[in-house]
Amino acid sequence: GTQVYNAAAGAFVPLGMLDVMQIFGRAGRPQFDSLGEGVIITARDQLEHYLQLMTHQLPIESRFDKQLADHLNAEIVLGTVASVDDACTWLRYTYLYQRMAQNPLVYGLTPLDVELDPHLAAHCRALVTSAARTLDAAKMIRFDARLGSLHATDLGRTASHYYIEHHTIEEFNTRLRDTMTEEGVLALVAHASEFAQIRVRDEEQAELDALQSRCPVDIRGEDGPHSKVNVLLQAYLSNEPLEAFALVSDSAYIAQNASRIVRGLFEIALKRGWSSLAL
């Protein structure tokens, strides 16, 4: 079959071509066989898709621009980037830069842009400046637009150390208080952007309702994906058994990510001197 459950996507997704080629690469025994055979068993509507992928070599595009702010923050925390100029130099060493020059249309550029600016200096500066402004608004760095300097803050260091996305830090800035109950902390973690792709499926609802009735901490004012994350997190902490395979997979994903998010929250509370919240 070609459908696999992806907890990060919160759904069943088709196998990517790289995975298929990796599996096919195992066909045959090295040093014993001169060839190997691989068979794809898939749905009829997916057949043409896989035939096309097998017979046409597609270029691999970069998705680095979607996570540029978080990676820029990590470089600033490391000390390898201290200004916009440094960041532009760093960006030119990435696969994103190579693909922007070779396939500009995918990244919002035109062939004319590349012709007028073959080194993409203006576009790189625009990308870096936009990411820096985003981080500055989240209080993860201090960005001086006049001088172009970039300086890390305690919040940015914590986010980098625990791989916390800047969208989650923005949520913390809005909702975090010096005195919060366990109910408030669990609700805050459930709103982290790392869980934005979690979905509630109809076949899970009955089991989720049963788990929620046994949750030690009340879940009030929450519904949909946030409620599901909260329920599964409490079920994991309470060692509640899960039956649905998708819930087991989602629970493992939530527990893995929640552990570093909560450690980051603990460090933020310590650095702000909020002893009650840290406890």
Side-chain angles (χ1 to χ4, degrees):
T2 55
Q3 290 288 316
V4 292
Y5 186 76
N6 185 346
F12 283 88
V13 298
L15 271 175
M17 197 58 227
L18 290 178
D19 290 321
V20 172
M21 296 305 294
Q22 188 80 305
I23 294 168
F24 275 18
R26 302 292 190 275
R29 296 175 299 171
Q31 301 176 353
F32 295 99
D33 296 332
S34 59
L35 57 89
E37 295 182 3
V39 179
I40 296 179
I41 303 174
T42 188
R44 187 171 294 277
D45 60 350
Q46 290 287 316
L47 183 59
E48 187 177 345
H49 168 70
Y50 282 105
L51 283 174
Q52 186 178 10
L53 290 177
M54 291 290 290
T55 55
H56 296 82
Q57 190 171 6
L58 299 177
I60 299 173
E61 299 297 346
S62 172
R63 299 180 65 185
F64 190 64
D65 52 336
K66 305 294 189 298
Q67 302 290 334
L68 182 59
D70 294 317
H71 288 285
L72 177 60
N73 177 61
E75 295 297 328
I76 295 169
V77 171
L78 281 171
T80 56
V81 169
S83 67
V84 171
D85 291 336
D86 290 345
C88 290
T89 302
W90 160 72
L91 196 59
R92 281 196 286 270
Y93 284 94
T94 64
Y95 184 63
L96 169 65
Y97 178 78
Q98 301 299 324
R99 292 308 302 165
M100 284 194 301
Q102 294 180 41
N103 196 3
L105 293 175
V106 173
Y107 303 95
L109 294 164
T110 65
L112 181 61
D113 293 330
V114 179
E115 185 179 337
L116 295 175
D117 185 12
H119 297 292
L120 301 177
H123 188 64
C124 286
R125 183 168 287 273
L127 285 175
V128 166
T129 302
S130 175
R133 292 189 190 282
T134 298
L135 293 172
D136 185 64
K139 302 177 183 177
M140 295 168 66
I141 67 168
R142 293 192 300 275
F143 172 45
D144 189 324
R146 185 174 59 86
L147 300 175
S149 60
L150 305 168
H151 300 285
T153 65
D154 285 341
L155 200 55
R157 291 187 189 95
T158 300
S160 176
H161 293 160
Y162 296 103
Y163 303 99
I164 300 175
E165 296 179 5
H166 69 277
H167 296 297
T168 300
I169 295 296
E170 290 170 351
E171 191 74 26
F172 288 174
N173 290 338
T174 303
R175 298 167 61 100
L176 199 60
R177 299 289 181 269
D178 57 347
T179 54
M180 294 180 73
T181 61
E182 290 179 356
E183 178 184 333
V185 172
L186 287 169
L188 180 59
V189 173
H191 279 79
S193 63
E194 282 80 357
F195 307 128
Q197 74 289 335
I198 297 292
R199 295 289 178 267
V200 180
R201 290 169 283 273
D202 292 339
E203 62 271 19
E204 301 170 348
Q205 196 60 58
E207 187 174 354
L208 285 173
D209 290 341
L211 287 169
Q212 184 168 347
S213 67
R214 299 195 297 272
C215 281
V217 178
D218 289 338
I219 301 175
R220 290 177 291 187
E222 299 286 344
D223 57 359
H226 300 314
S227 175
K228 177 179 176 178
V229 173
N230 202 328
V231 167
L232 290 181
L233 184 55
Q234 291 196 49
Y236 172 79
L237 294 171
S238 304
N239 288 321
E240 289 281 354
L242 302 175
E243 295 178 7
F245 167 74
L247 283 183
V248 173
S249 183
D250 282 338
S251 178
Y253 175 80
I254 289 168
Q256 185 180 31
N257 285 277
S259 63
R260 58 184 175 78
I261 293 171
V262 172
R263 285 160 129 188
L265 268 176
F266 176 60
E267 193 166 300
I268 291 169
L270 284 180
K271 289 183 176 178
R272 293 184 179 179
W274 293 352
S275 58
S276 176
L277 177 62
L279 180 63

